[in-house]
């Protein structure tokens, strides 16, 4: 079997295009999980896009080992210089440079003739090669490009030293057979194609990113690019977990293998969802909450007789835990650790002690602690780490829609209490927190959901705040009291905003 390289762009095409600003700590957390998952390449960001992105790529390059760390650039010297600098400490650095090759990109976006685009592409690869051996070239909007021109560009960049050539369907326009044909055409007509790995990079505008990527793999591509949970601009990127499970489940059809540790898929999906604030739909393939639920009587009867009747993937294959023991206030540290391990969290020592104490607090409020509660417990890193600590609150409602909230916060060690009115309890709460903290950001989105199936459910609140400079920051809060969960989410978003960063430029 041939190797299929798995290239993760959750932190570049996924995160950046959503307009969400993840901080370095959050990016590192995702990066370390991607290493556990076994991806080959992590695209950590676009260093020239903003000082924040430069710092993130630099920190990832320094901290995350055993995997290729990649940075994106346009085909210009200053981007490549910055990217090379950000990647200086990477164990395996890769520069991903490129330029648009479709008529509309060349004429309208770049205002360049095809000859100039070809020159620029070759220049960029040669320039990047001065810094690193591993240079990937992307032919942006390749699918809508003229195939003969595309082969000319690809041949020239491989001659210039590109080790990987990426042929994106940038706007998700292709159908699977057409994208497969494009990959075959390039493989057949580029003389030096054996000197490079062909990569597929698809977007999901017509809901075909996974199908198109698989068609490209079937046609001979040996690297697939995508984002966990399919996050990304517009309808998103290829959902990496879907391609991974398709080539695994249907080895007979694809004949490729990779380094993926499938048992980490579920944990990776939940981590990315928690950190980005992008919820995974219940019916989402592979990682949706209902992906392994059999609801109808006929199906339940079938799986009880033989799982194979309606199950093509067993949930434990991707790390969805099976409940064996009940976790209650009487459960010990060991039982908790065991269940957490099943969920994909490996913790011990002081971290286990801390989680166990929080587990006991939760278990005191609930009869049984469920897996969903534990995911929340692991994601709930506490509200005090960024200097704002939620202390207490009380809400009074008048019965005509108006409410008054009184909130006490500790900010940098100082206790402040204030009150404000609002159009309902949540609005009053947020108005009060704004008064205390002087917040000027606007509330872009607020959602509340239950994350347990019992009546003593934990509430998970998500708040998105838009700052004046365009940054979007996501905060999460969890509590069995949904108003308290909302307060924590709001404070979490406020605390996360790192001042002074420029909004990132997006390709
Ligand atoms: O979709 C695309 O074309 C891209 C490139 C910049 C790699 O994301
Ligand atoms: Zn893309």
């Amino acid at each position: 079997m041939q190797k299929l390289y798995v290239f993760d762009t959750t932190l570049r095409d996924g995160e950046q295009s959503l307009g969400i600003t993840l901080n370095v700590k959050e990016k590192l957390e995702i990066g370390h999980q991607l290493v556990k998952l076994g991806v080959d390449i992590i695209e950590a960001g676009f260093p020239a896009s903003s000082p924040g992105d430069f710092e993130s790529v630099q920190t990832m390059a320094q901290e995350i080992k055993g995997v290729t760390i990649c940075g994106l650039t346009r085909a210009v010297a200053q981007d490549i210089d910055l990217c090379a600098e950000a990647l200086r400490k990477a164990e395996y650095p890769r520069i991903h440079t490129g330029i648009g090759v479709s008529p509309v990109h060349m004429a309208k976006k770049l205002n360049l003739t095809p000859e100039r685009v070809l020159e620029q592409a070759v220049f960029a690869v040669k320039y990047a090669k001065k810094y690193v051996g591993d240079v990937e070239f992307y032919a942006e909007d390749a699918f809508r490009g003229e195939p003969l021109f595309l082969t000319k560009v690809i041949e020239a960049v491989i001659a210039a030293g590109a080790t990987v050539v990426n042929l994106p369907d940038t706007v998700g326009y292709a159908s699977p057979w057409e994208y497969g044909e494009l990959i075959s055409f390039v493989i057949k007509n580029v003389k030096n194609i054996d000197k490079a790995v062909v990569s597929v990079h698809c977007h999901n505008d017509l809901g075909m990113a996974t199908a198109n990527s698989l068609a490209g793999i079937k046609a001979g591509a040996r690297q697939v690019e995508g984002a966990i949970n399919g996050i990304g601009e517009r309808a998103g990127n290829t959902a990496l977990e879907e391609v991974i499970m398709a080539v695994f489940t249907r080895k007979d059809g694809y004949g490729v293998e990779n380094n993926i540790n499938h048992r980490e898929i579920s944990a990776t999906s939940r981590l990315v969802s928690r950190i980005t604030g992008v919820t995974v739909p219940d019916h989402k393939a592979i990682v949706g909450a209902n992906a392994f639920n059999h609801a109808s009587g006929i199906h339940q009867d079938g799986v009880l007789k033989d799982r194979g009747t309606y199950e093509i993937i067993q949930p434990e294959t991707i790390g969805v835990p099976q409940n064996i023991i009940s976790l209650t206030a009487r459960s010990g540290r060991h039982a908790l650790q065991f269940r957490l391990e099943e969920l994909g969290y490996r913790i011990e020592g002081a971290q286990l002690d801390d989680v166990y104490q929080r587990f006991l607090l939760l278990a005191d409020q609930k009869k049984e602690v469920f897996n969903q509660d534990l995911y929340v417990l692991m994601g709930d890193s506490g509200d005090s780490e960024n200097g704002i600590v939620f202390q207490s609150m009380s809400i009074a409602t008048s019965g005509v829609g108006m409410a008054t909230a009184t909130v006490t916060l500790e900010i940098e060690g100082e206790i402040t209490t204030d009150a404000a009115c609002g159009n309902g309890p949540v609005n009053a709460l947020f108005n009060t927190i704004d008064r205390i903290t002087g917040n000027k950001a606007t509330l872009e989105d607020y959602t509340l959901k239950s994350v347990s199936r019992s009546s003593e459910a934990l509430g998970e609140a998500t708040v998105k705040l838009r700052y004046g400079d365009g940054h979007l920051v996501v905060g999460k809060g969890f509590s069995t009291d949904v108003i308290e969960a909302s307060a924590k989410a709001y404070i979490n978003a406020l605390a996360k905003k790192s001042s002074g960063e420029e909004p990132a430029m997006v390709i």
Side-chain angles (χ1 to χ4, degrees):
M1 280 213 247
Q2 289 190 14
K3 163 115 196 218
L4 176 70
Y5 292 91
V6 178
F7 177 113
D8 180 278
T9 186
T10 306
L11 296 175
R12 198 279 300 172
D13 216 351
E15 177 256 338
Q16 208 174 37
S17 54
L18 289 172
I20 293 171
T21 312
L22 302 184
N23 60 36
V24 178
K25 183 169 161 269
E26 290 167 326
K27 287 192 172 185
L28 277 175
E29 210 177 330
I30 292 178
H32 284 299
Q33 180 59 34
L34 290 171
V35 173
K36 278 193 197 163
L37 178 64
V39 305
D40 300 287
I41 303 107
I42 296 175
E43 188 163 52
F46 173 16
S49 68
S50 72
D53 226 46
F54 178 90
E55 192 202 335
S56 297
V57 177
Q58 191 175 45
T59 313
M60 299 270 290
Q62 213 162 302
E63 306 271 316
I64 298 195
K65 302 295 173 193
V67 66
T68 297
I69 302 292
C70 173
L72 187 86
T73 83
R74 293 167 299 178
V76 294
Q78 85 245 34
D79 276 25
I80 298 170
D81 290 336
L82 276 171
C83 188
E85 175 57 23
L87 292 174
R88 207 157 43 82
K89 300 251 169 76
E91 190 175 9
Y92 307 108
R94 174 183 293 183
I95 294 179
H96 189 190
T97 188
I99 191 164
V101 297
S102 63
V104 63
H105 272 243
M106 294 190 289
K108 306 286 183 205
K109 178 177 154 185
L110 300 165
N111 199 17
L112 291 176
T113 62
E115 292 69 35
R116 281 285 302 121
V117 165
L118 179 63
E119 269 172 37
Q120 194 76 29
V122 170
F123 160 79
V125 170
K126 286 191 174 156
Y127 195 79
K129 272 307 243 200
K130 290 199 300 189
Y131 289 113
V132 295
D134 190 3
V135 173
E136 173 170 344
F137 174 79
Y138 64 87
E140 192 178 4
D141 207 13
F143 181 73
R144 293 194 300 168
E146 207 282 295
L148 278 176
F149 176 63
L150 180 63
T151 54
K152 219 165 133 184
V153 173
I154 297 300
E155 199 165 304
V157 295
I158 295 175
T163 42
V164 182
V165 286
N166 174 11
L167 307 174
D169 177 20
T170 303
V171 290
Y173 187 66
S175 289
W177 73 89
E178 297 170 313
Y179 192 66
E181 277 168 10
L182 177 75
I183 302 296
S184 296
F185 185 83
V186 168
I187 292 178
K188 216 171 177 178
N189 292 288
V190 171
K191 279 195 228 79
N192 51 4
I193 199 74
D194 58 316
K195 307 267 182 324
V197 171
V198 175
S199 184
V200 287
H201 177 118
C202 297
H203 283 263
N204 205 31
D205 299 65
L206 292 173
M208 285 190 279
T210 298
N212 288 341
S213 300
L214 290 167
I217 293 166
K218 186 74 186 159
R222 288 296 171 261
Q223 177 176 285
V224 60
E225 308 191 5
I228 299 297
N229 299 337
I231 63 169
E233 191 144 28
R234 309 185 307 276
N237 281 77
T238 299
L240 219 40
E241 68 280 2
E242 292 177 9
V243 174
I244 290 168
M245 287 315 291
V247 298
F248 177 71
T249 311
R250 298 300 313 277
K251 288 183 196 75
D252 54 325
Y254 295 102
V256 290
E257 58 188 5
N258 51 54
N259 288 339
I260 293 296
N261 177 4
H262 298 94
R263 280 185 62 84
E264 294 292 342
I265 289 178
S266 182
T268 312
S269 163
R270 287 191 309 276
L271 178 80
V272 168
S273 174
R274 170 173 65 82
I275 291 182
T276 60
V278 181
T279 320
V280 176
D282 284 354
H283 60 276
K284 160 91 179 59
I286 314 298
V287 290
N290 292 343
F292 302 100
N293 268 1
H294 302 281
S296 84
I298 294 176
H299 286 210
Q300 286 175 348
D301 183 54
V303 285
L304 287 174
K305 286 177 177 147
D306 184 326
R307 285 173 84 169
T309 49
Y310 290 101
E311 214 170 74
I312 58 161
I313 301 166
Q314 300 193 332
E316 52 274 27
T317 312
I318 65 154
V320 176
Q322 308 292 294
N323 292 331
I324 306 165
I325 42 168
S326 303
L327 289 178
T328 67
R330 287 175 303 284
S331 301
R333 219 170 287 249
H334 244 108
L336 176 66
Q337 190 182 30
F338 180 78
R339 177 75 69 80
L340 285 172
E341 270 193 26
E342 281 192 324
L343 300 183
Y345 297 107
R346 257 145 245 142
I347 58 165
E348 50 195 7
Q351 199 191 358
L352 177 61
D353 290 344
D354 172 54
V355 173
Y356 185 62
Q357 290 314 317
R358 291 194 283 128
F359 161 79
L360 288 179
L361 285 179
L362 182 65
D364 273 346
Q365 296 168 52
K366 295 172 57 66
K367 282 197 202 76
E368 185 177 343
V369 176
F370 297 97
N371 288 340
Q372 294 279 36
D373 303 325
L374 292 178
Y375 297 146
V376 168
L377 203 62
M378 292 306 292
D380 190 8
S381 51
D383 313 302
S384 62
E385 60 192 304
N386 292 300
I388 310 180
V389 186
F390 171 77
Q391 292 269 336
S392 64
M393 57 160 206
S394 68
I395 306 276
T397 50
S398 69
V400 286
M402 288 305 287
T404 308
T406 307
V407 177
T408 302
L409 301 182
E410 183 188 323
I411 303 176
E412 310 289 356
E414 202 171 302
I415 307 274
T416 312
T417 301
D418 208 338
C421 296
N423 197 359
V426 175
N427 185 236
L429 180 72
F430 293 170
N431 288 343
T432 311
I433 297 172
D434 284 350
R435 271 175 73 96
I436 299 177
T437 59
N439 171 48
K440 296 274 181 289
T442 51
L443 181 65
E444 177 107 354
D445 195 18
Y446 162 70
T447 53
L448 186 63
K449 66 171 188 173
S450 155
V451 289
S452 307
R453 289 173 198 251
S454 78
S455 56
E456 299 133 302
L458 260 185
E460 173 185 329
T462 305
V463 161
K464 291 183 185 161
L465 291 180
R466 174 82 65 191
Y467 283 83
D469 61 5
H471 271 77
L472 190 63
V473 177
V474 180
K476 290 250 185 206
F478 308 98
S479 172
T480 45
D481 174 335
V482 292
I483 303 291
E484 187 174 306
S486 308
K488 287 183 172 180
Y490 202 80
I491 290 164
N492 186 242
L494 288 176
K496 265 192 199 166
K497 165 76 173 138
S498 50
S499 55
E501 276 180 19
E502 293 299 316
M505 162 171 57
V506 178
I507 279 193

